[in-house]
């Protein structure tokens, strides 16, 4: 029964991809970069000026009260969704198709994306609501409803978000786990899929608090192991690093190899692939991290905006750069015959032997599984926005578990392309929303900085801003 159902769903998804994917992504890339630049300039380069402050906010933020999250737990939950397949196979694909110059454009995308991430997560804090158990919920669906006063647009976003994170992205993560473990240990996809379903069910039935505890424990550990391996490889080839960096910058501005389609006359393959895979990895402006940011208990909305901005930096500038270094220091990274996970595994085999293949499979298993949990946490928040009923949440959880299995046993191309298509729609809605609400972002940045200059620990007083107070559904949060 499940096999026949998965085949029918695959056919439907293939039609959606063929019809909508390319035009949607053409538009999405332009809007994402444009909005990132917009917030970079209008906030006075917040990602540079307040970067040291973001580190302090993450480590020394207010402790959680009741069922709410600490800033670090919200940061780790957001990072759990960001750090995953995009950092391993996404970087590899960008380099394979766009050359080493794609890495530079991933850095550029992350830099401007940090400003978008700050804006969306700050807005999520302003417009969050509080449940009976004391926990907070929020995200794009909430700030669209309250800030823009468009419930229909908020509902559309929530529905697309649920499909993207609860279903499509989790299918991608499961598919990647299957590929990596099959290459390393010849595990059968069906058995891996069942195992992922069981493990995921055990965690998601524990609620957001258990998800946060799991993420805040496993994400730093797995990222540390991956970074240690990258540092070891860097040390083994330290004499080649200047040459690799020079190659990245030199290839970044080589426009001889132009991209096809809409961008053919405007950008190179390096730029196009770097932008696409950079955005897929760090998700800045996609509307994902605000769901975790809203769950944190902080004194000022901008505080959590800074924390989530830091997540983009760690994801791309640190973790993605580690993958790029591993690949570019290897003997073979050109051509389409080696891409995705196989390219990264080949690079590790070159550096440390067969152990590298097994090591990457294990790390990817942790990365992807933590992303499944983070993705679920985001999607559940939007389910509760639409209908906060127990039976609805239970039905949604069953759908998530089905798509985890679906991603484990179906074609990787279909799974990845479906994720790209629905993600594009979601991103366009969210980016237009945060631009609409940009005056509120500017007000909060100014308020935060004014208090810092006065030697105070920033604390937001909603009553001081009556125009914002009129839009907020639950002003008691900011008393």
């Amino acid at each position: 029964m499940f096999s026949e159902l998965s085949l029918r769903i695959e056919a439907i998804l293939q039609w959606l991809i063929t019809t909508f994917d390319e035009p949607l992504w053409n538009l999405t890339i332009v809007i994402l970069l444009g909005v990132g630049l917009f917030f970079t300039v209008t906030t006075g380069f917040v990602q540079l000026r307040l970067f040291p402050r973001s580190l302090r906010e993450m480590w020394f933020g207010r402790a959680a009260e009741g069922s709410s999250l600490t800033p670090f737990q919200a940061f780790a939950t957001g990072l759990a969704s960001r750090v995953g397949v995009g950092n391993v196979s996404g970087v590899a694909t960008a380099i394979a198709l766009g050359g080493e110059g794609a890495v530079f454009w991933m850095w550029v995308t992350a830099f401007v994306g940090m400003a978008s991430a700050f804006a969306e997560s700050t807005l999520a804090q302003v417009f969050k609501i509080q449940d009976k158990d004391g926990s907070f919920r929020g995200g794009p669906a909430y700030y669209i409803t309250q800030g823009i006063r468009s419930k229909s647009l908020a509902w559309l976003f929530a529905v697309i978000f649920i499909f993207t994170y609860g279903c499509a992205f989790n299918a991608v993560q499961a598919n990647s786990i299957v590929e990596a473990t099959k290459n390393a240990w010849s595990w059968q996809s069906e058995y891996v899929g069942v195992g992922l379903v069981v493990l995921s069910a055990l965690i998601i039935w524990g609620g957001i608090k258990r998800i946060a505890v799991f993420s805040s424990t496993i994400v730093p550990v797995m990222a540390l192991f991956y970074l240690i391996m990258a540092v070891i490889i860097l040390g083994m080839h330290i004499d080649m690093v200047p040459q690799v960096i020079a190659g990245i910058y030199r290839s970044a501005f080589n426009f001889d190899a132009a991209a096809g389609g809409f961008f053919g006359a405007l950008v190179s393959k390096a730029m196009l692939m770097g932008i696409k895979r950079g955005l897929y990895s760090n998700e800045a402006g996609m509307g994902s991290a605000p769901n975790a940011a809203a769950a944190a208990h902080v004194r000022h909305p901008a505080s959590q905006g800074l924390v989530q901005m830091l997540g983009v930096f760690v994801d791309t500038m640190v973790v993605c750069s580690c993958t790029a270094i591993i690949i570019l220091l290897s003997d073979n990274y050109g051509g389409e015959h080696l891409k995705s996970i196989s390219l990264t595994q080949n690079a590790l085999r070159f550096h440390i032997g067969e152990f590298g293949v097994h090591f990457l499979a294990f790390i990817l298993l942790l990365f992807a599984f933590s992303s499944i949990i983070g993705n679920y946490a985001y999607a559940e928040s939007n389910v509760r926005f639409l209908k906060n009923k127990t039976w609805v949440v239970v039905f949604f959880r069953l759908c998530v578990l089905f798509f985890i299995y679906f991603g484990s046993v179906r074609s990787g191309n279909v799974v990845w392309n479906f994720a790209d298509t629905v993600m594009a729609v979601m991103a366009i809605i969210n980016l237009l929303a945060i631009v609409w609400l940009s005056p509120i972002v500017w007000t909060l940045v100014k308020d935060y900085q004014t208090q810092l200059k006065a030697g105070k620990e920033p604390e937001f007083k909603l009553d001081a801003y009556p125009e914002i107070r009129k839009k907020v559904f639950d002003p008691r949060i900011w008393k």
Side-chain angles (χ1 to χ4, degrees), residues 222-292:
M222 69 182 185
L224 179 62
F225 276 122
Y226 194 67
L227 291 174
I228 289 173
M229 181 59 65
V231 170
I232 291 172
I233 293 173
L234 181 65
M236 292 167 56
H237 305 280
I238 191 67
D239 57 316
M240 297 174 58
V241 173
Q243 179 182 347
V244 168
I245 295 177
I248 289 174
Y249 283 99
R250 182 173 57 251
S251 299
F253 299 97
N254 179 10
F255 287 84
D256 291 340
F262 176 79
F263 293 99
L266 301 177
V267 301
S268 66
K269 284 187 178 179
M271 182 184 293
L272 180 60
M273 291 308 303
I275 291 171
K276 288 191 70 172
R277 290 301 167 236
L279 293 173
Y280 180 86
S281 177
N282 62 53
E283 302 174 13
M286 293 292 182
S288 56
N291 293 270

Side-chain angles (χ1 to χ4, degrees), residues 9-312:
I9 291 177
E10 183 176 15
I12 295 172
L13 298 185
Q14 189 63 61
W15 176 82
L16 290 172
I17 293 163
T18 304
T19 306
F20 299 107
D21 184 66
E22 184 176 344
L24 279 173
W25 264 105
N26 288 341
L27 180 62
T28 301
I29 292 174
V30 173
I31 294 177
L32 275 164
L33 284 182
V35 172
L37 287 169
F38 172 75
F39 279 109
T40 294
V41 174
T42 58
T43 60
F45 287 80
V46 65
Q47 62 268 62
L48 294 179
R49 292 186 300 103
L50 294 179
F51 184 81
R53 182 72 187 182
S54 69
L55 294 170
R56 188 183 187 284
E57 291 285 2
M58 180 187 69
W59 286 111
F60 301 107
R62 178 186 288 184
E65 296 181 3
S67 299
S68 62
L69 306 183
T70 65
F72 177 75
Q73 286 177 329
F75 167 79
T77 303
L79 197 61
S81 181
R82 284 194 179 103
V83 176
V85 172
N87 304 87
V88 180
S89 59
V91 175
T93 303
I95 293 174
L97 301 181
E100 59 264 51
V103 179
F104 172 82
W105 293 107
M106 292 184 75
W107 293 338
V108 170
T109 303
F111 177 75
V112 299
M114 289 171 71
S116 299
F118 170 81
E120 63 183 357
S121 294
T122 299
L123 289 169
Q125 272 287 323
V126 174
F127 295 105
K128 66 186 179 183
I129 63 174
Q130 191 167 24
D131 287 330
K132 294 178 181 179
D133 63 355
S135 63
F136 297 114
R137 285 188 288 116
Y142 296 82
Y143 56 68
I144 290 172
T145 300
Q146 299 175 53
I148 301 179
R149 301 292 182 179
S150 177
K151 193 168 185 178
S152 58
L153 185 62
W155 271 62
L156 176 62
F157 177 87
V159 170
I160 295 171
F161 191 102
I162 291 166
F163 272 105
T164 302
Y165 277 84
C167 302
F169 277 15
N170 279 342
V172 167
Q173 303 297 335
N175 187 271
S176 298
I177 290 174
V178 166
E179 181 181 350
T181 55
K182 187 174 183 179
N183 290 340
W185 307 312
S186 300
W187 287 2
Q188 294 298 312
S189 59
E190 293 82 2
Y191 297 133
V192 175
V194 171
L196 290 174
V197 168
V198 172
L199 290 174
S200 299
L202 290 174
I203 293 179
I204 65 177
W205 249 271
I208 183 65
K209 190 68 175 181
R210 183 179 295 180
I211 291 169
V213 171
F214 176 85
S215 298
S216 62
T217 301
I218 197 172
V219 170
V221 173
M222 69 182 185
L224 179 62
F225 276 122
Y226 194 67
L227 291 174
I228 289 173
M229 181 59 65
V231 170
I232 291 172
I233 293 173
L234 181 65
M236 292 167 56
H237 305 280
I238 191 67
D239 57 316
M240 297 174 58
V241 173
Q243 179 182 347
V244 168
I245 295 177
I248 289 174
Y249 283 99
R250 182 173 57 251
S251 299
F253 299 97
N254 179 10
F255 287 84
D256 291 340
F262 176 79
F263 293 99
L266 301 177
V267 301
S268 66
K269 284 187 178 179
M271 182 184 293
L272 180 60
M273 291 308 303
I275 291 171
K276 288 191 70 172
R277 290 301 167 236
L279 293 173
Y280 180 86
S281 177
N282 62 53
E283 302 174 13
M286 293 292 182
S288 56
N291 293 270
H297 185 62
V298 294
R299 293 184 176 90
H300 197 288
S303 298
Q304 196 60 32
L306 292 174
V307 170
Q308 295 300 333
M309 179 184 80
L310 182 63
V312 176

